[in-house]
Amino acid sequence: DEGVVFLFTDGQIFDERALVFFNDWLASGEIMDLHTHEDKDAIRNAVRSSCKAAGIIDTPDNLWSFYISRVQKNLHMSLCFSPVGEGLWSRARK
């Protein structure tokens, strides 16, 4: 388990709707429909041995929950907004 920081600045926002995905990610640790079924299967297979080592039965739901818990533990997000100009204030009012 190694922590990772995702750094996102206001200059990288090309579409305000992207902030909805970040909100979902921050609220639940997961963005719905981000992964295809094949991707989810590959992720489940990748965490299977760690899940078993933790003493968790390796059902598809348990494997996915184990993966999401590791994401929540190790992935950190920093949203950096400049206080100069209207960008921060207009987004804060929404």
Side-chain angles (χ1 to χ4, degrees):
D1 290 325
E2 184 175 319
V4 175
V5 174
F6 181 77
L7 180 64
F8 192 76
T9 66
D10 57 349
Q12 295 171 307
I13 300 172
F14 295 103
D15 187 349
E16 295 288 322
R17 293 177 292 183
L19 294 175
V20 172
F21 294 115
F22 289 115
N23 185 53
D24 290 348
W25 190 10
L26 290 169
S28 68
E30 179 177 14
I31 299 174
M32 296 311 241
D33 301 325
L34 177 66
H35 302 287
T36 65
H37 183 68
E38 292 80 19
D39 290 341
K40 284 186 175 184
D41 284 342
I43 291 168
R44 287 182 187 117
N45 288 331
V47 300
R48 187 176 309 275
S49 61
S50 297
C51 192
K52 285 182 178 180
I56 301 169
I57 300 170
D58 64 341
T59 65
D61 287 339
N62 286 349
L63 292 169
W64 190 252
S65 294
F66 182 79
Y67 166 72
I68 293 299
S69 70
R70 288 180 75 181
V71 169
Q72 290 172 336
K73 177 183 172 192
N74 294 308
L75 184 61
H76 307 284
M77 180 182 288
S78 292
L79 297 173
C80 302
F81 294 94
S82 172
V84 178
E86 288 295 314
L88 174 65
W89 304 114
S90 66
R91 289 184 182 106
R93 286 190 290 254
K94 290 182 182 180

